[in-house]
Structures are given as C-alpha cells and as structure tokens.
Amino acid sequence: MPTEQLTYWFPLLTDNSPFLFAVLDKSHNYLVVNNRYCELSGYSREELVGRGDKEILGQAFYQTLAPYYERAFNGEAVEGEVVLDDNRHETSMHFSITPLKNDNDEVHYVVLHSADTSERQMLVKSLEELEHQLNQLHDASSDGICVVENNIVLSVNQRAAKMLGFGAAKDLLGEDLGRIIFDMQTQRLLGAQLSQLPLSEARRCYIGPEATPDTTFLLSLSDITMLGSPAKLVMLRTPTDNRLPQGQIDQLVQTDALTGLNNRHGFTRKLEKLIASNTPLVMLYLDIDNFKNINDSLGHHIGDRVLQEISQRLRQLLPENAVIGHLGGDEFGILLQNPEHDRIGDLISQQIIALVSQPFNLHHFSKHIACSIGLVTYPGNGNDARILLQNADTAMYEAKNRGRNRLVKFDESMNKEARMRLWLEIELQKALQKNGLEVWYQPKVNAKDFSIDGAEALVRWKHPVEGYISPAQFIPVAERSGLIEQLGRVVMREVFTTVCEWKKQGLLQGRVAINLSPQQFGNPKLIQFIDKLRKSTGINPSDITFELTESAMMNDGDHAIQMLKAIKKLGFALSIDDFGTGYSSLSYLARFPLDELKVDRAFIKDIESVPKQVTLIENIINLGKSLNMSVVAEGVETHQQATLLSNLNCDSIQGFHFFRPQPKHELEALLLKNSRRSA
C-alpha cells in the first residue's frame, strides 16, 4: 500500500481503539500512530511522527521490543509480553508486530499493536491473592466448612473433617454428606433431606452412633455457585468454637482496603467518639479535582496508585493524632484534634494543596493534580457526625464552584444555597429527560451594513412552576452535577437540525455558534459524538462555530491542541470567547488553530467613557486580523458603540442594541421576513 494511503486509512481504522497502534519504519520511528498514542504521550499525531518508542514509551520498552522489530523486518510476525519496572510501578504490555510487505515481498514497514495489560495482570494477581486468602481463611476457620453438590463433598477444611470423625480432609472428599450426619430432631440420617434444609437455619445434628457433647454441632446451608453449577456451602459450628476477637473484626470493617486508611464507616465512628468526648475539632473534606479524567484516560489501576500515593503523602504531612479517612472515590476526610489556634485549618489546607499539586509519576510520564477542600469546626458547624460531614461536603463543593484548588470554610448561608442547587439539579435532570430545555438564538450582524450574519445558540429553561430560570443559576449546577455534557449534547443536536433546515430554505447567512463547556472539551469522546451527529443530521460543518473560553483551553494545553485540531479536521470553525478576561496569554493565539476572536462585553461597556478602551479594542481587532481571525464584539447596547466598532473594522457585532436572544420560531419569522424583503 502506498504511504499516502497508509497514513490516510490507518487513523480511520485504529483511532477509536483503546490500544496502541503504530506503523514504524526501518529506523524504528513512527510513520503514523493512532489517537491512543496522542492521549498517553500528550503529543499531537504530527509531533509523534519521526519519533520512536525510546522517547515516547521509555528506554526499557524499546530495548525489549527492538529485537522483535528486527525479526518482523525479516518477515516474521511476532508477539509477546513486556514487563516494565521503574522501581515504583510495574507495567505489563502485550504486543504483536506484523511485517507490511510490498508487491516485491519486501518489508519497509511493520505494524505494532500494543495493549496495556497491567489492569488485567493486577486483576489476576488480586484473584490469586484472594483465592490464597480464602484458602487460608478456609483452613484457619474455627468452623467446619464443606462445599457439596448433590450432597457429594467437593471441598472441605480440616476442621470439618475432624468434627465428622475423619483423620484428614482428603478422606472426606467424594463422600455423601447426608449418609454421615444425623438429624437430632428425627434421630435419623439426613440423607437426601440435607439439600432441602431451609437456608441459613441452624439445625442441631450429630454423628453416630448417638449424640454426645463431643459429637453434636449446628449445621446451616447457603446457596453458592461452583464452576457455574449450583452447590451448597455447609457450615458446621460447635458452642465452644473460638471466634475472631470483636476488636479485630471492627478493625477490618472500618479500614479501607485500598489505602489502609479509615473507610467512611470507620471515619464516622471516630468522629462520633470525639464528639461524645467534646473534643474540639477541625474537619477537612478533600476532593481530587478532575480525578475521573485519570481513570478514563489511564485506567483505574493508575487511579488507584494516585489514591494510594495521596494517602501516603497525607500520612507524612499530618500530625500523628490526626484521623485520616478515604471516604470513597476520590474523597478524603481529615480530623485535627484540639487545634492550637484558629488558623490551623487554613495552614494545613494550604500545605495539603501544595502537597497534592506536586507531580505524580504515572505510566512513564508526570501528572499534576489539584484538590478542593471544605472546612468545618466542632463545636460550631454541627453537633453530630452526619451534619458535620454534610456541611463539610457542602463547603467542598463551594470550593469547586469558586474555581477549584482552594479551601472554603462552611457558613450557614451555604446550606440554603446547597438546598437550592440540589432542587435545581433534580429539576434539571427531569427537564433533560422530558425534553424541557429550549434553544434560543441571538443574531449577530455584519459590522458594515448591520444585516444579520449568523447567530449564537443559547440554552434556556422554562420550569413548569417557576417559569424561566436564569442560565447563571442552572449552568453552574449542571457543571457541578455532571449534567453539562448531556445538556451540551441536547443543544448540539437541536442546533445541527435547525441550522440544516434554515440553510436548505436559504434563510440564514453566516455561522451559528455553539458554546462548549470545559467538561465537554475535556472529554476525548466529544470528537466521536460530533462526528456521528454531523453524519446523522447532514450538517455542513462550515455552518457551525464552536466557542470555547480561554480557561477551558488553557487547563491542559497539549490536550487542547489535539482536540482543536480534531474539530478543525471535521470542518468546523473555532472561536475564542471572552477574550482578554481569562489567562490573556497571547502565545496560545499562535499555537491554537482558531478562526474567530470574540471581544468580551467588559471592554465594550466603557468604550464611550474611557478613551483608552478604544485603543485597546482597536489593538485587539488588529491582532485578530493579523492572525487571519475574524473579530466579533459582544455586549453592544448602543448605536454609538456599534458605529465606533464598525469604524474600527470589527467584522461582526452581537448585542441588545440589535437583537436580544429569542426563541427559534421568532428568529425564523424574522429571517423569513427579511428573506421576502430581499426578494
């Protein structure tokens, strides 16, 4: 296959795969790679071409595969397993290498297919460890344990063998248990009745010839599955059995298996004891920001390593008497007893934020992580464990709402806001399920003749009881609750369908803009959704602009470049919204493939009263045009502002002076009226 065809077809066939695919030349450098390489390395496809495993996947990986590459270039198809150990984490990869032969049976390229099998290996290892632990528990149990199928003993521990009068466990295998045990009530062998005993009911039994204190026991059954077939677990107990100490049982129940910290139950128990003893407390409720992205992109086994390392860092940082809990998912709780002063919570929180933000070495590259913290005190913010945890959780979510990676202290006003957010979340979920959201449109006008030239799509929510609810209220709730992606998909589908209709009727000139939230933009599956929707609706990509804020793109620059390029490759235009109010780093304008720059309303509102604003706007317009970007001014509310922007060679204008956002049918009527007038 010619190289041009190979580089065209290869990404189409492999980009949706979770595995690594690459075509390598004789120097063992990449000719073409699939999207998984980009996700793991942080490089774009173009940046990866010409590089090799040594730089991207590490020296150990390359040294292991190099001999296999040579065998493949000699015409042999090979496969194997690589184990990479960086003295911190062990990673296993399964690979296959296939030669690509030309018409002359020559091999100029090979195809590498590699899959991270660490999670599978960890699962196998965990299952083996679990089996070993179960066998130990089985053998060490003070109860007699048998597994029977049709009353025949398949598995038994030594304790059961001794209770039933056998010298060794193996001597009991294959025996019919019903022919060994007598029922105390009927004084007869259980026989076939054994498998019909009520589940979990303890039946007093004995072994012949007669019942004595040494030969009686309690028998109970449970249903289990053995190699896919129904079986019974038979438990034999005597009144004199030794039990595991209650304290040891409590310890096991209250400990998180992954981190070794208190689990939510154990943390709550210790909190309750401290409250009962009237011990002054500071509680910190910690949540890892965007932790889902680690699990989604790198796998849950990598996410587990992050949680374990965070646990270790917290142990090293915090005082010895601090109570630390892994409360589930990516949330941690910390109790600081008898605080020395009022600022201790602030100081410890800042140390935690700094500690968590230090890079984590994951899968041969580093990852920076942030966290949000809520703080409550006892006494002061609640009188029982449930209220304190609830208030700390509320404060933590407020920290996320204020921009993440910060501490927020609880106050009572947050409870009212939290209840309102919860109500909004529940109602918004209902609205999404019942198609209760509307898409409105705010027209843009050409700055030269003020004719309609495109529009921006805006979501609106009319509650059946409360009426229209401001986007400023429900959009943050959608972002916090994870509903924003579903909401965004609803808007996108509606806009694509509507724009197709308008364009077929010749009603609308220009593009319609759709806002992408940071959460949408951060999800690699966005590209796949846009592409499927493009095909199903028949939308012309040149009729749509996707708008993003500076902060959405600057959170992860390398990921942003990959996403932007992928959207551009599908044919859509890209706009930077609220320019000048976020990072204001001009370097990204050159790096990112943007088509449009939107001047924020903050610059426009003072344009008539602050002379320097005019100079600033003029420079922004000139900057955009010099980078081949069109410039849109938003928030225009007066004729003077519109005229001035027109004289400054702005391309488009958007604002209440011309049009307010309006429902689809109203804009459609306006466009139809303008169309007839033009005709």
Side-chain angles (χ1 to χ4, degrees):
M1 180 185 291
T3 302
E4 294 79 9
Q5 292 186 28
L6 187 63
T7 54
Y8 173 77
W9 283 106
F10 191 81
L12 294 178
L13 294 172
T14 63
D15 265 359
N16 291 325
S17 172
F19 308 123
L20 295 169
F21 281 94
V23 177
L24 295 90
D25 60 24
K26 288 192 172 182
S27 299
H28 303 177
N29 292 326
Y30 306 135
L31 174 70
V32 61
V33 297
N34 73 333
N35 194 51
R36 184 64 175 152
Y37 267 91
C38 303
E39 292 175 1
L40 284 178
S41 67
Y43 292 107
S44 67
R45 201 189 309 270
E46 293 75 14
E47 291 171 321
L48 285 169
V49 172
R51 299 188 180 191
D53 294 338
K54 191 183 301 184
E55 183 179 356
I56 303 304
L57 298 176
Q59 179 76 17
F61 186 87
Y62 174 69
Q63 285 181 341
T64 304
L65 260 67
Y68 293 97
Y69 287 145
E70 292 305 320
R71 287 169 58 184
F73 277 109
N74 288 328
E76 183 182 354
V78 292
E79 67 175 311
E81 194 90 12
V82 188
V83 177
L84 307 175
D85 190 350
D86 60 3
N87 297 322
R88 290 172 56 86
H89 308 304
E90 190 177 280
T91 303
S92 61
M93 307 281 284
H94 181 272
F95 67 87
S96 63
I97 306 170
T98 308
L100 285 180
K101 297 181 180 180
N102 62 16
D103 295 339
N104 298 322
D105 213 30
E106 299 169 332
V107 180
H108 292 294
Y109 303 106
V110 296
V111 178
L112 169 66
H113 167 220
S114 179
D116 185 347
T117 56
S118 303
E119 201 156 357
R120 186 183 69 191
Q121 295 290 352
M122 288 180 67
L123 180 59
V124 170
K125 188 175 180 181
S126 297
L127 288 173
E128 290 173 349
E129 290 175 354
L130 181 60
E131 183 180 12
H132 177 66
Q133 291 168 1
L134 288 174
N135 287 335
Q136 284 186 316
L137 181 62
H138 186 267
D139 294 337
S141 174
S142 58
D143 292 333
I145 302 173
C146 301
V147 176
V148 300
E149 184 178 350
N150 297 325
N151 288 4
I152 302 302
V153 178
L154 302 179
S155 172
V156 62
N157 68 347
Q158 185 60 37
R159 176 64 176 156
K162 183 178 179 181
M163 292 172 70
L164 296 174
F166 286 77
K170 62 182 177 60
D171 297 333
L172 190 52
L173 296 177
E175 294 287 341
D176 185 334
L177 199 61
R179 294 185 176 276
I180 299 171
I181 298 174
F182 287 83
D183 185 347
M184 182 77 83
Q185 186 175 351
T186 64
Q187 300 290 309
R188 294 179 180 178
L189 284 168
L190 283 172
Q193 297 297 316
L194 173 65
S195 59
Q196 298 170 16
L197 293 177
L199 297 179
S200 301
E201 178 186 301
R203 178 71 61 97
R204 186 168 288 277
C205 299
Y206 66 97
I207 53 173
E210 61 182 19
T212 69
D214 293 332
T215 62
T216 60
F217 50 83
L218 295 175
L219 179 148
S220 60
L221 273 70
S222 299
D223 282 332
I224 62 170
T225 300
M226 189 79 168
L227 299 176
S229 300
K232 300 284 184 182
L233 178 68
V234 182
M235 301 291 293
L236 311 176
R237 298 186 179 91
T238 64
T240 57
D241 285 342
N242 293 322
R243 299 285 181 240
L244 200 62
Q246 187 61 41
Q248 198 171 340
I249 295 173
D250 290 343
Q251 181 66 25
L252 290 170
V253 170
Q254 296 175 27
T255 301
D256 175 56
L258 177 66
T259 62
L261 301 175
N262 297 285
N263 58 20
R264 180 175 283 273
H265 174 65
F267 186 83
T268 304
R269 287 282 300 275
K270 290 185 178 177
L271 174 58
E272 288 170 343
K273 289 180 180 179
L274 290 169
I275 292 172
S277 63
N278 289 318
T279 304
L281 297 170
V282 170
M283 184 201 297
L284 304 176
Y285 201 105
L286 167 70
D287 181 88
I288 308 303
D289 295 331
N290 297 318
F291 183 75
K292 183 175 181 291
N293 289 344
I294 295 175
N295 280 336
D296 289 347
S297 60
L298 300 177
H300 288 272
H301 65 293
I302 298 294
D304 287 348
R305 290 179 189 173
V306 171
L307 295 174
Q308 289 169 335
E309 187 156 340
I310 289 173
S311 304
Q312 292 170 6
R313 293 184 185 185
L314 290 175
R315 282 195 185 100
Q316 293 167 3
L317 170 72
L318 296 168
E320 193 171 329
N321 70 340
V323 177
I324 315 171
H326 178 214
L327 307 183
D330 57 352
E331 295 180 348
F332 293 83
I334 297 163
L335 297 176
L336 304 172
Q337 304 176 42
N338 297 305
E340 299 172 17
H341 50 78
D342 293 341
R343 294 271 304 153
I344 191 70
D346 301 71
L347 296 174
I348 293 287
S349 294
Q350 293 309 315
Q351 291 173 350
I352 291 172
I353 290 171
L355 194 70
V356 171
S357 67
Q358 292 175 12
F360 291 75
N361 294 318
L362 307 173
H363 210 309
H364 308 288
F365 64 93
S366 293
K367 185 80 174 175
H368 289 271
I369 294 173
C371 65
S372 300
I373 303 176
L375 182 150
V376 295
T377 60
Y378 172 82
N381 296 136
N383 295 320
D384 61 53
R386 183 183 65 82
I387 294 297
L388 281 170
L389 283 165
Q390 178 182 305
N391 291 344
D393 183 59
T394 298
M396 180 271 291
Y397 273 112
E398 183 62 28
K400 286 185 175 293
N401 291 336
R402 295 184 189 179
R404 301 175 183 268
N405 208 30
R406 66 187 65 223
L407 166 73
V408 167
K409 297 178 182 178
F410 175 81
D411 67 58
E412 286 300 329
S413 65
M414 291 179 188
N415 266 335
K416 183 178 179 181
E417 294 171 7
R419 286 193 294 270
M420 174 57 73
R421 284 198 297 267
L422 179 61
W423 179 83
L424 283 170
E425 182 180 331
I426 293 169
E427 294 299 304
L428 182 57
Q429 205 157 22
K430 291 179 186 176
L432 285 166
Q433 291 169 354
K434 298 177 181 179
N435 298 319
L437 296 175
E438 304 171 8
V439 178
W440 287 26
Y441 298 86
Q442 183 176 25
K444 301 176 186 177
V445 300
N446 186 299
K448 297 302 179 188
D449 58 9
F450 299 154
S451 61
I452 294 177
D453 186 23
E456 179 179 0
L458 302 164
V459 66
R460 293 292 183 265
W461 176 21
K462 187 176 183 180
H463 188 270
V465 176
E466 300 296 326
Y468 281 105
I469 295 174
S470 168
Q473 284 184 279
F474 72 81
I475 292 296
V477 170
E479 290 174 338
R480 184 182 68 83
S481 64
L483 294 173
I484 192 68
E485 291 194 58
Q486 184 182 352
L487 187 152
R489 290 193 291 269
V490 168
V491 171
M492 208 180 298
R493 187 175 288 108
E494 168 66 23
V495 173
F496 278 24
T497 304
T498 298
V499 171
C500 277
E501 295 173 1
W502 285 347
K503 290 292 181 176
K504 286 177 184 177
Q505 297 174 49
L507 294 180
L508 180 67
Q509 301 297 316
R511 295 189 178 99
V512 172
I514 301 174
N515 291 283
L516 289 179
S517 70
Q519 287 92 329
Q520 283 178 283
F521 189 64
N523 188 344
K525 294 181 180 178
L526 172 69
I527 305 303
Q528 185 179 4
F529 175 79
I530 292 176
D531 193 29
K532 286 184 178 178
L533 192 61
R534 172 184 67 87
K535 294 172 181 174
S536 64
T537 60
I539 188 71
N540 184 344
S542 63
D543 293 331
I544 299 293
T545 298
F546 286 110
E547 288 188 7
L548 298 108
T549 60
E550 288 181 284
S551 56
M553 291 192 293
M554 295 300 286
N555 277 338
D556 187 344
D558 292 331
H559 170 77
I561 290 175
Q562 292 176 29
M563 293 292 285
L564 293 172
K565 286 183 176 178
I567 294 172
K568 285 282 290 181
K569 190 174 181 180
L570 293 176
F572 297 93
L574 294 164
S575 174
I576 178 71
D577 197 8
D578 302 335
F579 176 75
T581 62
Y583 287 82
S584 300
S585 172
L586 298 181
S587 62
Y588 75 79
L589 289 179
R591 292 174 61 218
F592 294 168
L594 302 169
D595 303 285
E596 182 181 274
L597 186 155
K598 291 191 78 173
V599 182
D600 188 71
R601 65 183 69 248
F603 296 103
I604 306 299
K605 66 178 182 178
D606 298 327
I607 197 172
E608 299 168 61
S609 57
V610 182
K612 288 184 179 179
Q613 287 286 68
V614 178
T615 304
L616 189 57
I617 292 170
E618 184 177 19
N619 283 321
I620 291 174
I621 292 171
N622 291 335
L623 174 65
K625 289 183 175 295
S626 67
L627 294 172
N628 295 318
M629 298 167 67
S630 59
V631 181
V632 179
E634 60 181 350
V636 176
E637 298 186 356
T638 68
H639 178 72
Q640 289 84 351
Q641 291 172 352
T643 302
L644 185 54
L645 288 164
S646 180
N647 292 334
L648 291 175
N649 291 319
C650 188
D651 295 298
S652 300
I653 298 174
Q654 181 180 347
F656 287 2
H657 173 63
F658 294 101
F659 299 101
R660 292 177 177 271
Q662 50 195 282
K664 169 186 170 181
H665 68 274
E666 290 186 14
L667 178 56
E668 200 168 282
L670 175 65
L671 294 173
L672 191 60
K673 182 179 178 181
N674 288 349
S675 175
R676 289 171 179 168
R677 187 181 301 158
S678 299

